[in-house]
């Protein structure tokens, strides 16, 4: 992480006093009080913040940021702290800005099919708020009961229905953002597409580095008339992967398509008792949604395709309860793995789907090399892998091995044409792997965008981007004087 | 005459931009040039066309992904996709006719740079939602990339979103990777004739918020409906509401039924099937139903869909207007006689009560250089947009002023 500013540490008492003026009952500065904020979902990293502040109004956020901007104090925004990439990891010299008190649903507009909410509202609470009218908010991260929509925007969170319904970025209409200067911008609204640059799209997934989101307008959708899921068991992951490809090649875009490998199936089954088959190497959950006529028609097609590709276990959900049970196992896969291993490290790479067998084989070799167990859950529809590396913090060297193992997996993902993260973000965790994907120029461009928003690098520094060039240095890099004749370029 | 540079590859594209930086020569960037008349006219001494960067790089139907050089003709791409029964689900419209160019000329880079999307936008997303990755040369002459070739594509800032709709003011695109989707097995359109804009917007809201999963909804006033392939006798039927359903045959059949029942109160419904439905939708999507050409201008307004009727009502006060509501009420196309800044203000004022933005899509250059083509932005957003421009193109050599002054 960036070296702490000693002068800021020295001014701590004064900073606490100033923040208390802005948010009289919302500043925590005792060690015990700050302890719960010392890490997020990536618990291997811990750091107490300088101070925690919990504003309740946009005006307070504006004043906090303006103050920090003026005093050159770093700020780390935080939602529910479930980030798995260390995105909300505090800084020793940074104010931890918790958005937890921004927890109101402000408006539900069924005619325009949208809801305006504050960033601290949980993902699931949005769906709950519109449930009675038969609507829902589509992106459904497994952490949806806890994670906030503000955190979802910052991480561009996904879920198990992304192939058909998109990620967070495809389900937002508007944002209100406070810049580090304390200025407020409004992007989008209840209408589609922006009038200028798509800064709404840029903000989404920006991991708290560009601004603090204070209000969000999300799209809500009518719940499908019917949804049914089918469990498909295979003796090889290759057969499972080929089935996924064949389903898509047949023109079917299922609502959800998830795959688990043998260790993940067993862990989930022991935990949730979803009645998963235990004698298969790969289990696919395919969900079809829409009118009953469509669901029945497609289920039959999918079953057919699966059998043609070697499925030896096929079970269609016969009731809503059974469908929910199929998903309960998958959605509890992380905690389930947590029960069979003292610790686990959840990775989040994305690969072109057809490379799945190669990547699984590669990971198996790594698992043997590092002598660490591995369980795999996979958003098969969109190529997003979540390998869970099993380790034990109490065993000396285990954590280091797990991290090296994880880095090797992500490098493999990039090597086969994928990317470092599907939905958990880069954060602290994958920051130093960014050069695996991007060269210096690519990263300098990313840094230049950061400069357009936050030239002093005060918002969530040390996350996502490796060392930044100083903002002033980005101009006029290539001016070389003399003219270039470009003799080879055709002209007309 | 202004010279046009036409590089054959990314290295030459870089060379050209580096030269422009060195010699402080602003460039007018274009693909095939089919949308040159969209946006503010650019004052540039030199044109730079990416039309020479041609060819599909890879297409993997089972991965739902296609990658091509920016200058590749959209028609070529759509042909390749059609062979595998796939498509660009954002339905890139062809504004060739509107903009006084030949139709069928667009390049992939141009469509993405203008973020053009069709009638399915509200359901399937815009061009910006389908751009997975790109390579481009920024205004520093650097080759940059972002995104990837997988559905969950982003590590770092999502620069794809910035590229889509930036009209070549940030970087010259050289390669694009897009998400593709299966072509629906069948297409049908439900038509309700003789329906007022208020009833139509109510019906569109109801339909779009239902489980019928509609893939288009459009209201045509009588004069416009007369020109459309609605399959009805001339002079009969009045204003029309059309709703598109797409998908597998049993699904569309079932949804047609439930939708007709849901909208029963709005009037008797009839159905257009397959070719008839597709032909009608081509007219809607490519905006060929409104008067365009010499003496007329065309505005496009994006607004909260439920306000469609109210805004259309306000615009109806403009003399000699023609309009239509697309995207379930969230988009209004408006054709007017040529007017100046007063007209722009009136059009934009109609959006004040509900929010949204209006762009002047087709107009003579003289008008486009005096009237704000894109919806003016308030501070501090305007200043931020300028800083974003600067972060890609600090010397302001790429399409300067095409979107806004300073951008
Ligand atoms: C068991 C488990 C399962 C998970 N499953 C999934 C899954 O299926 N899909 C998925 O995508 N993710 C998943 N996650 C990861 C995590 O839940 C998401 O990344 C989530 O979006 C984080 O939200 P949060 O409110 O906890 O944000 P935090 O962890 O508090 O913060 C995340 C980032 O957002 C920034 N941030 C938060 N609020 C704001 C704001 N208002 N303005 C600006 N920046 C802000 C922070 O600075 C930080 O960089 C899972 C996590 C766990 C623990």
């Amino acid at each position: 992480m960036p070296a702490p500013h000693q002068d800021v540490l020295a001014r701590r008492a004064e900073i606490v006093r100033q923040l208390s003026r802005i948010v009289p009952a919302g500043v925590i500065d005792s060690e015990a009080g700050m302890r719960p904020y010392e890490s997020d979902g990536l618990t291997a990293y811990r750091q107490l913040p300088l101070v925690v502040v919990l504003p309740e109004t946009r005006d307070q956020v504006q004043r906090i940021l303006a103050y920090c901007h003026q005093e050159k104090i770093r700020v780390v925004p935080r939602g529910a702290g479930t980030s798995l990439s260390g995105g909300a990891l505090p800084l020793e010299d940074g104010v931890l800005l918790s958005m937890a008190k921004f927890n109101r649903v402000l408006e539900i507009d069924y005619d325009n099919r949208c809801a305006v909410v504050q960033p601290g509202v949980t993902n699931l609470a949005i769906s709950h708020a519109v449930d009675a009218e038969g609507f829902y908010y589509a992106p459904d991260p497994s952490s949806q009961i806890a994670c906030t929509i503000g955190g979802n925007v910052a991480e561009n969170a996904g879920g198990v229905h992304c192939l058909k319904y998109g990620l967070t970025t495809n389900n937002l209409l508007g944002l209100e953002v406070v810049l580090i200067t304390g200025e407020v911008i409004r992007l989008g609204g209840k209408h589609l597409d922006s009038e200028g640059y798509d800064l709404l799209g840029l903000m989404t997934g920006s991991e708290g580095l560009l601004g603090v989101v204070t209000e969000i307008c999300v799209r809500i959708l009518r719940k499908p008339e019917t949804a049914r899921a089918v469990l498909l068991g295979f003796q090889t992951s290759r057969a499972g992967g080929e089935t996924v490809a064949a389903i898509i090649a047949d023109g079917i875009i299922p609502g959800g398509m998830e795959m688990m490998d043998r260790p993940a199936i067993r862990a989930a089954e022991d935990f949730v008792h979803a009645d998963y088959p235990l004698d298969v190497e790969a289990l696919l959950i395919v969900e079809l949604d829409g009118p009953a006529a469509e669901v029945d028609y497609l289920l039959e097609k999918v079953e057919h395709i699966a059998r043609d590709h070697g499925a030896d276990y096929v079970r269609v959900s016969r009731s809503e309860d059974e469908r929910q049970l199929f998903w309960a196992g998958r959605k509890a896969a992380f905690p389930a793995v947590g029960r069979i291993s003292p610790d686990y490290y959840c990775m989040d790479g994305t690969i072109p789907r057809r490379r799945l067998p190669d990547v699984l084989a590669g990971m198996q070799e790594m698992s043997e090399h590092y002598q660490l167990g591995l369980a795999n859950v996979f958003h098969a529809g969109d190529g997003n892998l979540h390998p869970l590396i099993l380790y034990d913090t109490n065993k000396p060297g285990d954590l280091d091995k797990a991290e090296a193992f994880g880095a090797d997996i992500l490098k493999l993902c990039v090597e086969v044409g994928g990317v470092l993260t599907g939905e958990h973000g880069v954060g602290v965790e994958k920051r130093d792997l960014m050069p695996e994907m991007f060269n210096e120029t690519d990263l300098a461009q990313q840094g230049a965008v950061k400069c357009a928003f936050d030239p002093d690098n005060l918002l969530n520094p040390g996350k996502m981007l490796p060392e930044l060039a100083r903002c002033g240095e980005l101009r006029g890099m290539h001016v070389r004087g003399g003219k270039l004749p470009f003799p080879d370029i055709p002209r007309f | 005459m202004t010279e046009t540079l036409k590089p054959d590859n990314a290295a030459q594209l870089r060379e050209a931009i580096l030269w422009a930086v060195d010699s402080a020569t602003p460039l007018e960037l274009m693909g095939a040039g089919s949308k040159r008349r969209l946006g503010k006219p650019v004052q540039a001494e030199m044109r730079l066309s990416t039309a020479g960067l041609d060819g599909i790089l890879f297409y993997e139907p089972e991965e739902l992904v296609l990658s091509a050089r920016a200058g590749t003709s959209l028609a070529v791409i759509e042909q390749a996709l059609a062979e595998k029964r796939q498509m660009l689900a954002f339905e890139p419209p062809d504004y060739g006719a509107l903009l006084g160019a030949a139709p069928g000329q667009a390049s992939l880079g141009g469509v993405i740079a203008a973020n053009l999307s069709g009638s399915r936008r509200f359901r399937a997303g815009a061009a910006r939602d389908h751009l997975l990755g790109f390579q481009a040369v920024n205004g520093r002459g650097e080759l940059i990339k972002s995104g990837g070739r997988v559905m969950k594509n982003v590590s770092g800032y999502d620069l794809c979103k910035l590229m889509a709709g930036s009209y070549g003011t940030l970087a010259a695109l050289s390669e694009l990777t897009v998400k593709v989707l299966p072509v629906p097995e069948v297409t049908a359109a439900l038509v309700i004739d003789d329906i007022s804009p208020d009833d139509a917007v109510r019906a569109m809201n109801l339909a779009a918020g239902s489980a019928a999963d509609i893939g288009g909804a459009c209201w045509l006033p009588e004069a416009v409906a007369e020109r459309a392939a609605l399959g009805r006798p001339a002079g009969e039927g009045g204003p029309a509401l059309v709703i598109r359903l797409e998908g597998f045959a049993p699904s569309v059949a079932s949804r047609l039924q439930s939708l007709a029942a849901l909208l029963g109160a709005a009037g008797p419904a009839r159905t257009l099937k397959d070719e008839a439905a597709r032909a009608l939708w081509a007219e809607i999507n490519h905006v060929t139903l409104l008067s365009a050409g010499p003496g007329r201008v065309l505005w496009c307004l994006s607004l909260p869909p439920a306000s469609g009727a109210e805004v259309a009502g306000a615009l109806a006060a403009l003399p000699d207007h023609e309009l239509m509501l697309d995207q379930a009420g969230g988009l209004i196309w408006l054709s007017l006689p040529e007017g100046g800044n007063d007209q722009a203000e009136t059009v934009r004022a109609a959006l004040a009560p509900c929010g949204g933005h209006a762009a002047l899509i087709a107009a003579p250059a003289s008008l486009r250089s005096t009237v704000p083509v894109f919806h003016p932005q308030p501070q501090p957003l305007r200043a931020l947009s300028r800083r974003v421009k600067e972060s890609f193109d600090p010397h302001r050599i790429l399409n300067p002023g095409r979107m806004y002054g300073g951008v």
Side-chain angles (χ1 to χ4, degrees):
Chain A
M1 300 307 288
H5 286 142
Q6 292 306 323
D7 66 308
V8 171
L9 295 178
R11 282 185 289 148
R12 181 167 187 261
E14 168 63 12
I15 293 167
V16 170
R17 200 161 42 242
Q18 291 298 337
L19 292 175
S20 303
R21 277 208 190 137
I22 302 172
V23 193
V27 175
I28 302 173
D29 64 341
S30 71
E31 191 184 320
M34 296 197 303
R35 204 42 88 188
Y37 297 91
E38 72 176 350
S39 72
D40 57 19
L42 184 65
T43 49
Y45 296 84
R46 286 169 200 277
Q47 170 64 53
L48 278 179
L50 185 71
V51 52
V52 177
V53 59
L54 294 104
E56 281 180 70
T57 65
R58 186 191 74 197
D59 179 62
Q60 289 173 342
V61 174
Q62 287 183 259
R63 284 161 61 200
I64 294 168
L65 292 185
Y67 167 71
C68 291
H69 182 236
Q70 186 194 321
E71 299 295 322
K72 303 284 173 271
I73 302 165
R74 291 164 172 161
V75 179
V76 177
R78 179 181 175 106
T82 67
S83 165
L84 290 171
S85 57
L89 180 72
L91 294 169
E92 188 185 349
D93 63 343
V95 171
L96 188 97
L97 181 69
S98 166
M99 299 302 285
K101 289 190 176 169
F102 279 73
N103 57 3
R104 284 184 303 133
V105 174
L106 299 174
E107 187 195 350
I108 300 174
D109 181 345
Y110 291 110
D111 277 346
N112 285 311
R113 300 176 296 285
C114 61
V116 182
V117 300
Q118 292 190 319
V121 172
T122 64
N123 172 293
L124 193 60
I126 300 178
S127 285
H128 279 166
V130 298
D131 181 69
E133 293 287 327
F135 283 81
Y136 75 114
Y137 172 65
D140 59 341
S142 303
S143 51
Q144 67 187 145
I145 188 169
C147 66
T148 67
I149 185 71
N152 290 177
V153 172
E155 301 287 11
N156 189 21
V160 298
H161 295 101
C162 292
L163 181 63
K164 185 163 176 186
Y165 296 103
L167 289 113
T168 304
T169 190
N170 312 109
N171 288 278
L172 296 181
L173 289 173
L175 289 181
E176 178 187 82
V177 180
V178 182
L179 302 176
I180 186 66
T181 51
E183 294 168 301
V184 180
I185 54 170
R186 300 196 69 98
L187 306 171
K190 292 180 177 178
H191 55 277
L192 290 164
D193 297 323
S194 52
E195 70 286 344
Y197 293 139
D198 185 359
L199 301 182
L200 172 65
L202 179 65
M203 277 302 301
T204 312
S206 63
E207 304 197 15
L209 273 76
L210 300 183
V212 174
V213 174
T214 47
E215 199 179 290
I216 301 152
C217 181
V218 299
R219 272 165 25 117
I220 52 172
L221 300 179
R222 168 69 64 176
K223 280 192 272 185
E225 210 174 86
T226 333
R228 286 171 78 194
V230 55
L231 290 181
L232 304 167
F234 300 88
Q235 287 313 319
T236 62
S237 60
R238 185 177 295 271
E242 284 170 356
T243 302
V244 170
I247 291 172
I248 288 173
D250 206 33
I252 303 171
I253 304 294
M257 196 147 51
E258 293 289 310
M259 198 155 125
M260 292 190 263
D261 69 358
R262 186 188 277 272
I265 301 168
R266 180 164 288 278
E269 179 57 24
D270 287 348
F271 186 33
V272 174
H273 308 297
D275 206 7
Y276 287 162
L278 294 174
D279 54 352
V280 297
E281 280 305 315
L283 183 68
L284 204 57
I285 311 178
V286 181
E287 178 162 292
L288 283 315
D289 59 6
E294 172 174 337
V295 171
D296 292 346
Y297 174 74
L298 293 181
L299 267 176
E300 204 169 296
K301 279 191 159 211
V302 165
E303 216 181 301
H304 215 89
I305 294 170
R307 288 199 197 276
D308 279 354
H309 286 83
D312 53 8
Y313 178 91
V314 177
R315 189 164 126 230
V316 179
S317 66
R318 282 153 305 178
S319 66
E320 179 59 16
D321 282 349
E322 194 175 14
R323 181 185 75 89
Q324 297 282 5
L325 190 63
F326 287 4
W327 282 116
R330 165 60 188 89
K331 287 205 171 184
F334 296 1
V337 166
R339 291 169 74 239
I340 60 167
S341 170
D343 298 285
Y344 69 89
Y345 182 28
C346 172
M347 306 306 297
D348 168 47
T350 301
I351 55 169
R353 252 182 287 101
R354 68 187 159 79
R355 301 303 300 270
L356 180 66
D358 310 333
V359 173
L360 286 178
M363 290 194 298
Q364 194 51 46
E365 272 169 36
M366 293 174 199
S367 167
E368 279 152 28
H369 170 79
Y370 286 106
Q371 292 289 301
L372 291 177
L374 185 71
N376 270 296
V377 295
F378 183 44
H379 299 304
D382 49 43
N384 188 187
L385 279 174
H386 291 315
L388 304 169
I389 299 170
L390 315 182
Y391 73 100
D392 182 353
T393 328
N394 292 326
K395 266 196 213 157
D398 241 26
L399 175 60
D400 291 341
K401 276 203 296 183
E403 287 189 339
F405 187 173
D408 282 355
I409 292 177
L410 294 179
K411 286 179 197 164
L412 179 62
C413 290
V414 173
E415 209 177 285
V416 302
V419 299
L420 293 170
T421 167
E423 50 185 23
H424 296 170
V426 175
V428 183
E429 186 201 22
K430 283 159 271 189
R431 180 194 64 202
D432 296 334
L433 290 172
M434 286 287 273
E436 294 289 326
M437 247 195 102
F438 298 111
N439 63 27
E440 266 178 44
T441 327
D442 301 331
L443 291 171
Q445 181 61 64
Q446 297 257 337
V449 169
K450 168 77 166 165
C451 291
F453 283 78
D454 176 22
D456 299 319
N457 197 18
L458 295 174
L459 268 172
N460 219 3
K463 316 291 171 67
M464 192 159 97
L465 296 176
E467 197 66 24
L468 293 174
R470 279 229 295 283
C471 291
E473 292 165 8
L474 290 160
R475 250 181 162 267
M477 286 200 290
H478 284 285
V479 182
R480 294 168 304 182
K483 288 206 173 195
L484 253 173
F486 47 91
D488 299 333
I489 307 176
R491 21 167 115 198
F492 298 88
Chain B
M1 223 193 84
T2 317
E3 238 187 320
T4 303
L5 292 174
K6 207 174 157 201
D8 286 329
N9 53 49
Q12 287 184 350
L13 180 66
R14 250 199 96 201
E15 207 184 313
I17 291 180
L18 280 173
W19 166 81
V21 172
D22 282 352
S23 58
T25 309
L27 297 171
E28 178 182 347
L29 226 63
M30 54 194 226
S34 70
K35 286 177 273 296
R36 278 197 64 218
R37 297 196 186 86
L38 211 175
K40 273 194 175 303
V42 174
Q43 301 299 327
E45 290 157 42
M46 184 77 90
R47 287 187 199 143
L48 177 61
S49 161
T50 52
L53 303 175
D54 187 26
I56 294 176
L57 296 165
F58 61 83
Y59 170 32
E60 295 174 10
E62 292 176 5
E63 302 275 342
L64 302 176
V65 60
L66 177 143
S67 185
R69 295 198 180 86
T72 312
S73 140
L74 189 63
V76 167
I77 289 171
E78 292 188 321
Q79 177 62 35
L81 293 173
E83 280 166 22
K84 298 284 179 190
R85 299 202 46 77
Q86 292 190 332
M87 62 175 185
L88 295 170
F90 60 93
E91 241 178 329
D94 189 337
Y95 294 162
L98 279 187
L99 299 173
Q105 299 294 303
S107 67
L108 181 64
V111 162
I112 297 287
N115 192 30
L116 295 185
S117 335
S119 270
R120 214 183 274 120
R121 163 71 183 97
F122 66 96
R123 175 180 173 275
R128 52 94 84 177
D129 296 289
H130 294 79
L131 178 63
L132 297 176
F134 72 89
Q135 184 199 64
V137 179
N138 66 17
R140 283 184 290 267
E142 299 163 340
L143 195 63
I144 55 165
K145 64 174 177 298
S146 174
R149 47 152 299 166
V150 282
M151 295 302 137
K152 293 179 177 166
N153 53 328
V154 184
S155 304
Y157 300 122
D158 189 354
L159 303 186
C160 292
K161 297 289 183 296
L162 269 185
M163 285 299 128
S166 63
Y167 285 89
T169 61
L170 298 178
L173 291 163
S174 50
E175 286 178 21
L176 299 142
T177 302
V178 290
K179 175 179 172 179
V180 300
L181 283 169
V183 172
E185 193 177 88
V186 298
T187 299
L190 197 80
V191 184
I192 298 180
D193 297 300
D194 261 329
I195 181 169
S196 73
D198 291 294
D199 288 347
V201 166
R202 253 192 304 277
M204 288 195 280
N205 285 335
L206 207 56
S210 78
D213 193 20
I214 64 172
C218 186
W219 178 76
L220 309 171
E222 182 164 11
V224 180
E226 278 298 310
R227 298 173 200 151
L230 280 166
R232 64 187 199 188
E236 281 176 35
L241 166 66
V242 287
I243 298 182
R244 178 168 64 174
L245 293 173
E246 303 169 299
F248 292 98
S251 170
V252 170
S254 139
R255 286 183 284 144
L256 269 172
Q257 256 181 1
S258 54
L259 190 61
L262 179 73
L263 303 182
R270 57 196 177 88
T271 308
L272 298 178
K273 290 261 164 74
D274 296 314
E275 210 25 69
R278 279 194 290 271
L280 170 64
W281 235 277
E283 294 175 333
I284 293 172
N285 217 34
H286 304 316
V287 203
T288 56
L289 295 171
L290 298 184
S291 302
R296 310 249 349 148
V297 296
L298 208 71
W299 286 88
C300 180
L301 292 77
S302 173
L303 62 154
S307 303
E310 181 192 313
V311 174
L315 297 170
L318 289 162
D320 195 13
H321 78 283
E322 275 177 21
L323 58 73
M324 68 182 211
L325 266 58
D326 192 5
Q327 297 186 8
L331 196 87
I332 295 179
W333 282 103
L334 174 68
S335 160
L336 291 173
E338 252 178 55
N341 271 304
D342 288 355
Q343 183 186 72
E345 275 168 30
T346 314
V347 169
R348 290 184 167 131
L351 291 172
C354 62
H357 53 90
L360 182 57
I361 299 293
S366 56
L367 258 187
R368 283 181 287 119
S369 47
T370 51
V371 169
V373 169
F374 296 101
H375 209 90
Q377 295 187 312
Q379 289 292 21
L381 185 55
R382 194 176 344 141
L384 180 61
S385 296
R386 279 190 193 207
R387 296 198 299 273
V388 169
K389 160 82 171 173
E390 222 167 79
S391 74
F392 283 84
D393 179 22
H395 314 289
R396 304 194 59 241
I397 54 156
L398 303 178
N399 274 353
R402 174 111 185 228
M403 295 181 80
Y404 296 105
V407 163

